[in-house]
Structure formats: structure tokens, C-alpha cells
Amino acid sequence: MQEYQVKRTSIKTLPVAMVDQLKECFGAEVTEKDGHYRIGYGALTRMEVSLGPGGKTLVVDTESDTGASDETIIDTNKRFRVYLERVTGFTAKERLKKAKKMCEE
């Protein structure tokens, strides 16, 4: 399970964006249970997203398909990175810097 910080400008739209972008980025059917939204796509047998404490972060939990082809894994990773950038407002490079900063604290 991973928790991602969200840009201040994206926090207002986070509850809607986290679901809408699942549909747009993955084109998968989204199921909801107790505020947790779940899909299965490509190399991910399960991807579940929800709001973090205070509704200001995105929590993502995934399970991988270890038998997926390299092509499927690359496609899934690309879509996952696009999803995170659209929802959090941070690029992969910015998310890495934030993660390193959190580990140092």
C-alpha cells in the first residue's frame, strides 16, 4: 500500500478525479465498496484507490499478475504513471523527490 501526496490545487477535485481517471486511464469497470474503488487491468489483478486520512492524500493498493507478459507490464506501468500524475498533480520525478523527503524525516 502506498500513500501519495496531492497538490494543493488538486485536493478539491480528488474524490471525483481518482474515480474518473481510473475509467479514463485504464478503461476498466470500477467497483466501489466503503469508499474504496477497485479495478483489474493488465498486469494488475487488483488496484484499489481511496482517500487518505483527512482526504488530502491518495492511497493505492495493488496486486500484480506475476505471469503477465513484458508488453502487458510496460503498458500497465505507463497507464499507472499517467493515472498518478493526473490525480496527484505531480510528475513521477516530483513524486520521487517527495518520497525521498518523507523517508528522511
Side-chain angles (χ1 to χ4, degrees):
M1 189 176 316
Q2 183 70 42
E3 188 171 359
Y4 296 93
Q5 292 183 350
V6 178
K7 269 191 180 177
R8 219 176 287 163
T9 56
S10 300
I11 289 175
K12 285 184 182 179
T13 61
L14 180 59
V16 173
M18 72 179 192
V19 177
D20 288 349
Q21 289 303 316
L22 279 175
K23 294 174 189 172
E24 191 170 318
C25 293
F26 294 97
E29 183 68 31
V30 179
T31 58
E32 187 269 338
K33 183 176 180 183
D34 300 326
H36 293 253
Y37 299 88
R38 181 183 284 196
I39 64 162
Y41 178 87
L44 295 172
T45 55
R46 181 184 63 85
M47 177 174 163
E48 189 172 295
V49 298
S50 61
L51 294 175
K56 296 183 179 184
T57 58
L58 175 71
V59 177
V60 180
D61 191 20
T62 60
E63 286 179 13
S64 299
D65 176 4
T66 56
S69 70
D70 289 346
E71 186 177 298
T72 301
I73 293 168
I74 290 168
D75 174 62
T76 305
N77 285 342
K78 179 182 176 187
R79 290 171 186 261
F80 184 72
R81 287 190 309 271
V82 169
Y83 172 78
L84 288 178
E85 185 170 343
R86 288 181 180 179
V87 175
T88 65
F90 293 116
T91 65
K93 199 175 202 177
E94 291 169 326
R95 287 193 307 274
L96 179 62
K97 282 184 183 179
K98 291 203 168 289
K100 283 182 179 179
K101 187 177 177 183
M102 291 286 285
C103 288
E104 292 171 0
E105 293 178 352

